[in-house]
Amino acid sequence: LDLYKNPVNKGNITKPEIDVSGGNPSCGDQVEFTMRIKDDVIEDVKFTGSGCAISVASSSIITEMVKGRNVQQAKKISREDFFDELGNIIQTRIKCALLGFMVLKQGIEAYEKNESKPTIIKGIVI
């Protein structure tokens, strides 16, 4: 609940290398990540969005997990790594917890495929 009330890395980055957003239409949760990448390292990452406590807290946690890592390391973070960091989530809330993780990872993968050029992806549906 603390990360829901006081999330870290909340906000936007101007002129980001990655700007990716998505949501879960079945519950209405939405998230957007902006990332600054320099020399293949994620120097900064911010998120905005709205949703339940689990969605907001998990988006905050994934920003902390990728910040300071190079793009390859961030891409290799697994669901298991993420859930180890997040802790126990009841089965019916897995989709809420995975929203930020999946949107952010898809943005990183698209950035890599785009040969490290600025990448904007809007409207990923989870």
Side-chain angles (χ1 to χ4, degrees):
L1 283 175
D2 186 48
L3 277 177
Y4 171 66
K5 293 176 184 175
N6 304 296
V8 294
N9 301 314
K10 184 99 175 177
N12 282 306
I13 294 172
T14 54
K15 298 184 182 179
E17 280 68 41
I18 300 176
D19 183 345
V20 59
S21 67
N24 179 350
S26 66
C27 69
D29 291 352
Q30 296 286 321
V31 68
E32 178 177 12
F33 293 94
T34 51
M35 289 177 259
R36 180 174 300 117
I37 299 172
K38 185 174 180 184
D39 298 326
D40 201 41
V41 173
I42 300 170
E43 281 190 339
D44 199 7
V45 56
K46 304 273 186 206
F47 81 99
T48 59
S50 61
C52 67
I54 292 170
S55 174
V56 172
S58 64
S59 293
S60 182
I61 288 171
I62 194 62
T63 63
E64 286 293 290
M65 290 180 75
V66 300
K67 194 180 226 179
R69 291 185 185 220
N70 70 40
V71 172
Q72 280 296 318
Q73 291 170 327
K75 193 173 108 175
K76 289 181 182 177
I77 294 172
S78 69
R79 285 172 64 143
E80 292 77 22
D81 296 333
F82 179 64
F83 280 118
D84 284 347
E85 191 70 25
L86 189 58
N88 293 330
I89 297 293
I90 61 173
Q91 192 65 30
T92 58
R93 302 305 295 271
I94 298 279
K95 211 167 189 180
C96 300
L98 284 175
L99 174 63
F101 172 83
M102 293 173 73
V103 169
L104 186 130
K105 293 259 306 201
Q106 287 183 35
I108 291 171
E109 289 170 5
Y111 173 79
E112 234 184 6
K113 287 178 186 170
N114 200 23
E115 299 178 2
S116 301
K117 296 176 185 161
T119 303
I120 299 172
I121 303 171
K122 299 291 180 181
I124 295 171
V125 177
I126 304 298

